[in-house]
């Protein structure tokens, strides 16, 4: 099980001036000697050289998933298979598109591989105007059909508020379920056999389980205890549905980003020049609830979502360790007071009420009924499914190693 250690607050400076000062961790906090993961993160372990388990997982995945020419040859081989299975259908694969940089580049790569993707956008009511424009422009530039699934706003808002009332760290939980359901349902109805997934361990790291655990029973438990309205439209994830989609419909998940490098300013320039993509303005600015999510997780749990990404970028040599440590002392730009206040207003939560919710004791998935004991019992099955492209390849690492 993940640790149940108390959260130690990371010191936060008030301004960017902090970047000039060298970082010194609070007493008792160990920082990885290679990246920036530290002992405030649940389930982090260090070896005898002071290197964290996330670094070792990163290296292992790097060896398993080559990039460059070798990675591209692998992508072409997989693309041949996907094309073969797409014969006679309208599309070869489905790609989730947020309007942000990573999913946009992923859609471009599927086209470059000669595939016929259907882009799917899940609208949780928080798309920024720039991401809306990006979705439209990119699909036009790449000549890709777009399917938009729009979440019921009243229900979506109440579900987010339920997670805040439930005192758990990840308030996007039900949006993730909405995205997964939409991808599988659309794939099943279109006869599409491949979901193209764009999470990159190289630039995003792997979320510690306690930060954003998702399972249907856990979601049901949160809804039962904290949701104040009768839900008519929300469809929770369902294990039987997932098994049906995987084993009967034979829908695979392919994490394409494992085989190419998707960081670097040249990619941003390419997306802007060739696809009419616009920079969303900063880290996670494509979805406007992220300011609230970041503020809430940092103030209530000491969770700074940037830590995982910075740690990954340090391992990849895209950022120095010193730069990352200095940046982590600043307040994330996305937590701009106006953005947080706007999000609270849209969520219908008064500031005083929110401050009270922040003071309530933090909880994690293991404070609620979940399927985690069942998942542990089927650990080897999950390992096999994640290696056979039925689940994203990092599923095993996420659920059992971090
Ligand atoms: Zn490390």
């Amino acid at each position: 099980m993940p640790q149940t250690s108390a959260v130690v607050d990371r010191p936060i400076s008030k301004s960017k001036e902090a970047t000039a000062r060298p970082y010194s961790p609070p007493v008792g906090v160990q920082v990885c000697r290679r990246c920036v993961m530290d002992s405030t993160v649940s389930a982090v372990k260090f070896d005898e050289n002071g290197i964290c388990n996330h670094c070792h997982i990163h290296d292992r995945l790097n060896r398993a998933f080559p990039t460059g020419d070798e990675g591209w040859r692998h992508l072409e081989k997989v693309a041949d298979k996907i094309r073969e299975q797409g014969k006679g259908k309208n599309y070869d694969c489905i790609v989730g598109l947020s309007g942000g940089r990573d999913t946009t580049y992923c859609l471009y790569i599927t086209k470059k591989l000669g595939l016929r993707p259907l882009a799917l956008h899940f609208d949780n009511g928080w798309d920024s105007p720039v991401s809306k424009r990006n979705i439209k422009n990119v699909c036009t530039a790449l000549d890709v059909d777009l399917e938009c699934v729009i979440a019921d706003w009243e229900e979506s808002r109440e579900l987010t508020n339920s997670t805040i009332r439930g005192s758990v760290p990840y308030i996007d939980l039900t949006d993730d379920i909405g995205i997964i359901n939409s991808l599988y349902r659309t794939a099943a109805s279109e006869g599409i056999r491949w979901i193209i997934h764009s999470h990159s361990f190289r630039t995003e790291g792997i979320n510690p389980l306690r930060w954003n655990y998702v399972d249907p029973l856990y979601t049901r438990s949160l809804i039962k205890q904290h949701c104040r309205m009768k839900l008519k439209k929300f469809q929770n994830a369902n294990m039987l549905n997932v098994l049906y989609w995987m084993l009967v419909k034979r829908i695979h998940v392919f994490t394409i980003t494992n085989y190419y490098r998707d960081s670097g300013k040249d990619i941003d320039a390419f997306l802007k020049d060739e696809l009419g993509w616009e920079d969303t303005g900063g880290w996670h600015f494509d979805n406007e609830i992220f300011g609230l999510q970041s503020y809430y997780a940092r103030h209530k749990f000491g969770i700074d979502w940037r830590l995982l990404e910075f740690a990954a970028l340090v391992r990849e040599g895209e950022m120095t360790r010193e730069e990352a440590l200095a940046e982590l002392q600043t307040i994330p730009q996305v937590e701009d007071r106006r953005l947080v206040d706007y999000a609270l207003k849209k969520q219908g939560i008064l500031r005083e009420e929110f401050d009270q919710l922040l003071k309530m004791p933090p909880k994690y998935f293991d404070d609620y009924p979940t399927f985690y004991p069942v998942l542990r019992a089927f650990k080897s099955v999950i390992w096999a499914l994640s290696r056979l492209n039925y689940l994203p390849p990092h599923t095993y690492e996420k659920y059992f190693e971090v």
Side-chain angles (χ1 to χ4, degrees):
M1 278 300 275
Q3 293 168 6
T4 51
S5 60
V7 170
V8 179
D9 281 340
R10 195 180 308 285
I12 299 297
S13 303
K14 295 283 177 209
S15 76
K16 282 261 180 190
E17 286 160 27
T19 55
R21 291 203 302 271
Y23 174 77
S24 58
V27 177
V29 173
Q30 183 178 357
V31 183
C32 174
R33 293 180 65 183
R34 177 177 160 201
C35 73
V36 291
M37 292 297 278
D38 65 39
S39 53
T40 67
V41 179
S42 64
V44 160
K45 293 182 207 88
F46 297 93
D47 67 12
E48 63 283 7
N49 299 315
I51 307 295
C52 76
N53 55 333
H54 285 252
C55 277
H56 289 301
I57 293 171
H58 190 113
D59 291 342
R60 198 170 75 216
L61 294 173
N62 243 338
R63 286 191 296 274
F65 302 110
T67 56
D69 291 344
E70 197 186 345
W72 191 255
R73 279 196 296 277
H74 182 80
L75 285 179
E76 285 182 324
K77 231 160 71 184
V78 177
D80 286 345
K81 196 162 140 191
I82 295 176
R83 243 190 323 272
E84 184 62 32
Q85 293 181 355
K87 274 187 184 158
K89 319 256 172 66
N90 291 330
Y91 309 101
D92 296 318
C93 56
I94 186 163
V95 179
L97 185 66
S98 70
R101 175 188 184 283
D102 299 350
T103 56
T104 301
Y105 194 60
C106 165
L107 187 65
Y108 160 75
I109 293 286
T110 59
K111 282 291 285 190
K112 195 176 169 194
L113 285 164
L115 295 169
R116 297 169 305 144
L118 168 65
L120 181 134
H121 176 64
F122 180 78
D123 180 351
N124 65 350
W126 289 97
D127 287 344
S128 69
V130 179
S131 63
K132 279 186 206 293
R133 284 200 296 277
N134 281 344
I135 291 164
K136 200 169 148 276
N137 291 344
V138 165
C139 287
T140 306
L142 289 172
D143 191 22
V144 167
D145 287 348
L146 172 69
E147 171 88 15
C148 264
V149 176
I150 302 172
D152 179 89
W153 168 244
E154 294 301 321
E155 290 195 0
S156 177
R157 177 166 73 171
E158 176 54 20
L159 285 165
T160 301
N161 287 348
S162 305
T163 53
I164 298 175
R165 281 185 223 113
S167 277
V168 292
Y170 190 51
I171 65 174
D172 262 1
L173 170 76
T174 50
D175 288 336
D176 278 3
I177 291 174
I179 294 168
I180 296 166
N181 272 337
S182 306
L183 285 167
Y184 271 109
R185 279 180 202 286
T186 310
S189 71
E190 289 285 344
I192 296 170
R193 295 271 305 276
W194 291 82
I195 294 173
I196 307 295
H197 180 236
S198 63
H199 177 90
S200 170
F201 73 88
R202 289 190 178 92
T203 54
E204 300 174 76
I206 296 179
N207 289 324
L209 192 61
R210 289 190 117 208
W211 288 20
N212 74 341
Y213 180 86
V214 181
D215 97 29
L217 178 57
Y218 170 52
T219 313
R220 197 155 66 227
S221 314
L222 276 168
I223 291 173
K224 206 171 156 195
Q225 292 184 35
H226 300 288
C227 183
R228 294 177 180 166
M229 73 186 278
K230 197 163 168 47
L231 302 171
K232 290 183 183 150
K233 311 248 175 67
F234 174 71
Q235 288 178 314
N236 193 4
N238 176 317
M239 288 290 208
L240 287 178
N241 279 350
V242 174
L243 288 174
Y244 170 75
W245 289 325
M246 280 196 298
L247 306 176
V248 179
K249 290 296 204 173
R250 310 273 306 275
I251 297 173
H252 292 73
V253 179
F254 180 56
T255 305
I256 195 168
T257 26
N258 281 342
Y259 296 94
Y260 59 83
R261 296 197 173 267
D262 67 346
S263 52
K265 291 204 170 20
D266 52 329
I267 292 179
D268 289 46
F270 169 80
L271 296 178
K272 284 176 195 166
D273 296 346
E274 301 296 322
L275 307 183
W277 178 83
E278 293 172 61
D279 198 323
T280 48
W283 179 73
H284 281 288
F285 272 64
D286 50 333
N287 206 268
E288 291 182 335
I289 197 170
F290 199 79
L292 177 62
Q293 183 180 318
S294 176
Y295 182 93
Y296 166 79
R298 212 165 51 79
H299 285 78
K300 182 158 179 145
F301 302 87
I303 290 176
D304 188 333
W305 293 98
R306 298 172 303 175
L307 182 70
L308 299 177
E309 297 189 14
F310 291 175
L313 292 173
V314 170
R315 288 179 212 120
E316 285 293 305
E318 297 283 341
M319 196 177 195
T320 68
R321 187 171 178 274
E322 291 65 37
E323 280 166 354
L325 289 170
E327 190 66 22
L328 284 167
Q329 290 182 83
T330 66
I331 296 171
Q333 225 190 334
V334 75
E335 287 182 30
D336 182 296
R337 177 84 191 196
R338 282 163 305 179
L339 276 179
V340 176
D341 286 347
Y342 165 70
L344 282 175
K345 198 171 165 199
K346 195 163 159 178
Q347 283 299 122
I349 304 176
L350 297 171
R351 186 81 206 193
E352 304 73 54
E353 189 190 347
F354 183 62
D355 289 340
Q356 284 305 315
L357 289 166
L358 283 179
K359 284 182 198 149
M360 283 169 62
K363 288 190 176 180
Y364 296 90
F365 76 90
D366 40 3
D367 291 310
Y368 288 89
T370 71
F371 280 138
Y372 194 63
V374 181
L375 296 178
R376 280 192 73 84
F378 288 95
K379 213 171 158 177
S380 47
V381 176
I382 290 171
W383 183 85
L385 290 173
S386 68
R387 293 308 184 259
L388 289 169
N389 287 327
Y390 279 105
L391 289 171
H394 328 124
T395 309
Y396 182 83
E397 280 76 11
K398 177 182 166 66
Y399 277 80
F400 307 111
E401 293 195 0
V402 298

